[in-house]
Amino acid sequence: MPESAADLAKLVKLAKRIAELVNAPRSIVRQLFDTVVTERKLEAPNSFLHAVLLGQIRLSRAGNSELNPAKDGDALALALLALGGRQEMAGLLSSAITLGLFDRAGEANPAGRRDLVWRKIISILGHRTRTATRPDVIVRAVPHGGVVGRAQTVIDMGGTWTNPEALHPAIVLAMRRICRIRAVRADSTVSVGSGLLIGPAAVLTNWHIVEGVPEKLPSPNLLAIQFQISRSGHPNGQAPYHFTAAEWLIAHQPMGNLLPPQPIFVRADGETRPWWEDAAMQAAWAQTLGSSLDFAIIRLKEPLGLERGYYDLTQTPGYGNLGDLAFSLIGSCHAFHYPGSQDLSFSSGSFEYAATSSPNRIFHKANTTPGSSGGLLLDSNGQPVALHHAGYDTNGQGSDTIPNVGGGMAINGAIPLATIYTSLSEDEKEKVKAPGKMFLVNGSLVDRRPVFGRQNLIDKVDAVAKGDLKRFLQIMVLDGLPAKPGKTFTVDILRTLLPPPKDVFVVLTPDKIKESGVETAELILKEAVPGIETAFEDASNTTEAAFFADNLIEEFSAQLKARLPGKRLWLVIDELDVKDIPDTSGRTFLDILYSKLSEIPELRIVLIGLKSVLASVPTAQLELCPLGPDEFRDLANIVERWLDQKGLGNKGIHPQVGMLLAKFMTSAAGGTPTLEELSNFVRKHLDGPLDDFLGRV
């Protein structure tokens, strides 16, 4: 049925009256209009410019030329006409109000203005306003097709609109990355708060949570981290605690002034209002906080971020462009935290006073309690925006609670993540990026073969590589292993963990050891530096053992230092579970070399396959790594952890999906396959699909 000119004229009049309420420039109107259209996934119109064009077409078909798209107000009116009728206008405008389209710069009470604007719009559109059962809450009804029983209601303009498709992956990621922090201060008081992974082994939280904790921990229990989502090995039990490095503090800034000197002000009409509603008071307070961002970055003992994922603060709104931050602060916010004694929770609210917020502090109305400090704030698109900091009230106190305190008014405060990261020195940024411990990138070797489990081995290699005390690694093969436990696979893991040019490998088997000790020493050096000519003198006028201890080892060490300056040599002897080193002069040299290892800082020794400890190995320098059946028992858990390392967890996929895929892989590979068989299955059947889904690294 053709549209009547009279009906269209009424809509034009309504659209023009609504457009008159907007004070924002055309660029902002266009940006916010496009945001609402995108969130609502409208096919027509699909943008502000498209809407203006459709509105013009609608008018021209009726012979109406009342609106000029060159004028900002008329352009918005045309865009509203493109939506259809009053109901469609109301649906979009309710979101636009929340996003701040009708706000005025410097407005003392934007929430009050939004309420007023909504009342005007529903009056213009001809809808009713009702009062809720609670007299302090406004209920706004937008009748659908004139049927009161199907009314659409907006309960509170403080409420917000959120696209669930945008927030769903953000929730899953937050579940993996947000932690509870338990800190014991030097005076024995306990503080509990929240934090988030921002690096492979770095957690960001508030300084006021960990202030007073010794910077060099006398006991690891003084600072503990707990994630609610644990590995599948703990599906129903208490999530395990993780601990920090002994020297745990990477960077921090103090809390600063929690409140300005004057917590309230009196308006011209005599009404008392909180300081945060006054732009001048807000600015004066925020200027004092440039070096008081109330954050601490904690160094973890384990690189948990490589398994759980972490937030890259260089990708947060506002980093390098404060305009991005300002736009993120329009609309809803979602706080992820550990409130009180509860498990990980999230509460939703809205960002407030975005136009006057300082880069040092922003305001929000998501509910928080003690324990919420250090929690994460996401914007309406699920982007990480800020670190929750504290609550402010008008009674001269700060707290972690949003409900009114003592009859006063309250609001929550947070610190933008971009501001925190910008404040770090280059050295501190490098420490945030550092893994802390060794790890296999993408959970695979350099030739892309997957490595399942073997975390114990990686930890031991890390300790021996540092060489503070341990210089000797023994892979001890226990009884009860599968036919192919991946013993020799250890050498490939070592080469991947310790790439050239820093580390050089010489891999020998018992049958390659020379009968002569001197020739064995020469063999090691020639394998380390191919093509060199070297010769050691034989023993004279002394016993062979004394010559090795007093002369050959010293000369061997000098040659090693000269031939491999600044490098580290790893002498690996493999297959010791199937072959013995002959009882010759070569074996005597090796035994003395083991006992003198502390005198050769450039050398590390790895023995693979022995079932007992050699008497010649100094116990204090030995890092023992048993390889037994327990390491292969829970293959589903092993594969699930590998999927995390591969990057599945960073796709915003619920952990149960990883558990399901892990069980499928182990079943399809043969029920209880060896790690080598499982690796071959993955390479044959899953490498391509996983690369397509996760991206090849």
Side-chain angles (χ1 to χ4, degrees):
M1 181 177 179
E3 183 175 31
S4 72
D7 288 342
L8 182 59
K10 289 180 181 178
L11 281 178
V12 170
K13 184 177 180 180
L14 298 181
K16 289 185 68 174
R17 289 179 61 189
I18 292 171
E20 290 171 357
L21 298 174
V22 176
N23 293 311
R26 185 175 183 138
S27 60
I28 297 297
V29 171
R30 174 180 172 179
Q31 189 176 20
L32 293 179
F33 189 98
D34 288 351
T35 298
V36 176
V37 166
T38 300
E39 288 184 348
R40 288 176 172 253
K41 290 185 167 47
L42 299 181
E43 294 183 2
N46 56 34
S47 69
F48 179 76
L49 294 179
H50 187 206
V52 173
L53 176 62
L54 292 179
Q56 278 188 285
I57 293 173
R58 185 178 184 185
L59 283 185
S60 64
R61 286 175 176 170
N64 189 320
S65 58
E66 184 177 344
L67 298 177
N68 180 2
K71 297 180 179 179
D72 290 352
D74 284 4
L76 177 56
L78 286 168
L80 293 175
L81 286 177
L83 298 174
R86 303 184 186 200
Q87 175 64 30
E88 290 75 18
M89 288 185 190
L92 180 135
L93 290 169
S94 63
S95 295
I97 291 171
T98 302
L99 285 173
L101 182 63
F102 297 88
D103 290 359
R104 290 177 177 171
E107 179 70 38
N109 185 11
R113 171 166 173 77
R114 291 177 184 181
D115 184 81
L116 177 63
V117 167
W118 181 253
R119 289 173 179 271
K120 286 184 178 180
I121 287 177
I122 59 177
S123 175
I124 291 170
L125 294 176
H127 298 312
R128 295 187 302 144
T129 300
R130 297 190 283 117
T131 301
T133 54
R134 284 176 50 197
D136 59 327
V137 178
I138 302 299
V139 179
R140 303 167 183 88
V142 183
H144 182 82
V147 181
V148 176
R150 297 175 63 187
Q152 313 294 309
T153 60
V154 177
I155 303 298
D156 180 8
M157 283 310 299
T160 56
W161 309 96
T162 300
N163 180 359
E165 289 189 11
L167 199 57
H168 175 263
I171 291 175
V172 175
L173 293 179
M175 289 169 65
R176 302 173 63 85
R177 300 173 180 179
I178 308 299
C179 61
R180 172 182 277 127
I181 298 174
R182 182 181 182 274
V184 182
R185 300 187 176 97
D187 61 3
S188 297
T189 58
V190 178
S191 174
V192 178
S194 306
L196 54 138
L197 282 162
I198 62 167
V203 165
L204 175 66
T205 187
N206 289 135
W207 172 244
H208 73 256
I209 296 172
V210 296
E211 184 177 11
V213 177
E215 290 192 22
K216 188 166 184 178
L217 298 178
S219 168
N221 294 325
L222 297 184
L223 193 53
I225 309 293
Q226 187 181 40
F227 293 88
Q228 182 176 334
I229 301 296
S230 61
R231 305 302 331 135
S232 58
H234 309 271
N236 300 313
Q238 181 74 11
Y241 276 103
H242 302 274
F243 299 101
T244 67
E247 297 182 3
W248 55 272
L249 187 59
I250 293 176
H252 80 285
Q253 283 192 12
M255 188 170 186
N257 297 326
L258 192 57
L259 296 170
Q262 184 181 353
I264 59 174
F265 71 97
V266 180
R267 293 197 319 200
D269 60 5
E271 184 179 358
T272 299
R273 302 302 303 166
W275 59 271
W276 54 79
E277 289 188 3
D278 182 81
M281 294 182 71
Q282 211 187 100
W285 168 73
Q287 285 178 0
T288 68
L289 301 172
S291 298
S292 301
L293 301 180
D294 189 26
F295 75 85
I297 301 177
I298 298 170
R299 180 188 287 108
L300 299 179
K301 189 176 181 180
E302 307 169 78
L304 298 177
L306 299 177
E307 180 178 330
R308 295 180 167 275
Y310 56 87
Y311 293 104
D312 182 352
L313 299 194
T314 66
Q315 303 301 311
T316 55
Y319 185 72
N321 184 359
L322 287 177
D324 291 344
L325 175 62
F327 191 66
S328 268
L329 300 183
I330 297 173
S332 63
C333 73
H334 310 278
F336 287 79
H337 48 117
Y338 285 85
S341 60
Q342 297 183 54
D343 289 336
L344 178 62
S345 306
F346 84 93
S347 49
S348 298
S350 57
F351 288 110
E352 300 294 333
Y353 314 107
T356 53
S357 289
S358 158
N360 300 328
R361 294 291 189 277
I362 59 179
F363 302 93
H364 71 93
K365 285 188 176 179
N367 286 342
T368 61
T369 72
S372 301
S373 291
L376 172 67
L377 292 184
L378 303 179
D379 66 12
S380 59
N381 291 316
Q383 294 298 307
V385 174
L387 186 74
H388 174 67
H389 155 70
Y392 313 125
D393 61 49
T394 54
N395 293 317
Q397 299 175 351
S399 69
D400 274 343
T401 58
I402 189 62
N404 290 346
V405 180
M409 291 164 282
I411 199 168
N412 271 329
I415 301 121
L417 296 174
T419 302
I420 291 173
Y421 195 74
T422 301
S423 74
L424 300 180
S425 68
E426 291 305 313
D427 180 60
E428 289 167 341
K429 290 176 182 177
E430 287 302 314
K431 290 178 180 178
V432 169
K433 298 175 185 176
K437 292 178 70 174
M438 283 186 176
F439 69 100
L440 290 170
V441 177
N442 215 29
S444 304
L445 301 178
V446 289
D447 62 3
R448 297 185 53 76
R449 278 181 292 165
V451 176
F452 298 99
R454 310 309 296 273
Q455 187 59 49
N456 184 43
L457 169 65
I458 295 171
D459 292 343
K460 302 291 187 183
V461 173
D462 188 30
V464 172
K466 291 183 172 68
D468 299 330
L469 177 62
K470 309 290 188 179
R471 304 279 183 85
F472 199 103
L473 176 63
Q474 180 173 333
I475 312 299
M476 181 180 287
V477 179
L478 305 179
D479 293 331
L481 285 175
K484 295 181 179 180
K487 169 180 58 65
T488 304
F489 200 54
T490 298
V491 178
D492 298 323
I493 295 175
L494 288 170
R495 292 184 185 276
T496 301
L497 291 172
L498 302 159
K502 169 69 175 175
D503 293 280
V504 177
F505 283 87
V506 172
V507 181
L508 302 177
T509 53
D511 57 309
K512 290 184 178 181
I513 305 298
K514 302 295 185 181
E515 289 189 11
S516 164
V518 171
E519 291 180 357
T520 299
E522 292 175 347
L523 170 67
I524 295 171
L525 284 176
K526 289 178 179 179
E527 289 284 331
V529 189
I532 68 165
E533 292 294 332
T534 183
F536 297 113
E537 293 183 1
D538 289 320
S540 61
N541 302 324
T542 184
T543 66
E544 185 178 61
F547 170 73
F548 290 165
D550 298 334
N551 301 97
L552 183 57
I553 295 296
E554 183 178 345
E555 180 61 22
F556 175 83
S557 178
Q559 287 283 340
L560 182 62
K561 185 177 296 185
R563 302 288 187 178
L564 297 171
K567 297 185 179 181
R568 190 167 46 197
L569 175 63
W570 292 78
L571 174 59
V572 182
I573 305 179
D574 199 359
E575 298 185 7
L576 290 170
D577 56 332
V578 294
K579 300 176 184 177
D580 292 325
I581 297 176
D583 190 6
T584 61
S585 173
R587 177 170 173 174
T588 302
F589 168 74
L590 289 175
D591 283 336
I592 294 175
L593 182 64
Y594 302 158
S595 67
K596 294 276 190 178
L597 191 56
S598 62
E599 300 174 15
I600 313 175
E602 299 83 11
L603 181 63
R604 302 291 185 274
I605 295 178
V606 182
L607 300 182
I608 304 176
L610 286 177
K611 295 189 177 182
S612 60
V613 177
L614 297 176
S616 56
V617 176
T619 304
Q621 297 180 48
L622 175 62
E623 193 71 74
L624 195 60
C625 181
L627 189 61
D630 286 346
E631 189 162 354
F632 308 91
R633 186 154 288 149
D634 188 357
L635 284 176
N637 186 38
I638 289 172
V639 175
E640 185 193 347
R641 295 194 69 157
W642 177 77
L643 287 167
D644 281 337
Q645 294 167 356
K646 185 78 171 172
L648 188 69
N650 288 326
K651 284 293 184 179
I653 297 173
H654 195 280
Q656 288 184 347
V657 176
M659 293 169 62
L660 178 63
L661 184 56
K663 291 179 180 179
F664 160 74
M665 290 167 64
T666 53
S667 175
T672 54
T674 66
L675 297 187
E676 184 177 341
E677 291 168 342
L678 189 58
S679 179
N680 292 335
F681 172 83
V682 170
R683 296 193 76 194
K684 182 177 181 181
H685 300 287
L686 292 177
D687 256 0
L690 283 174
D691 284 346
D692 292 342
F693 183 64
L694 301 174
R696 181 163 181 155
V697 177

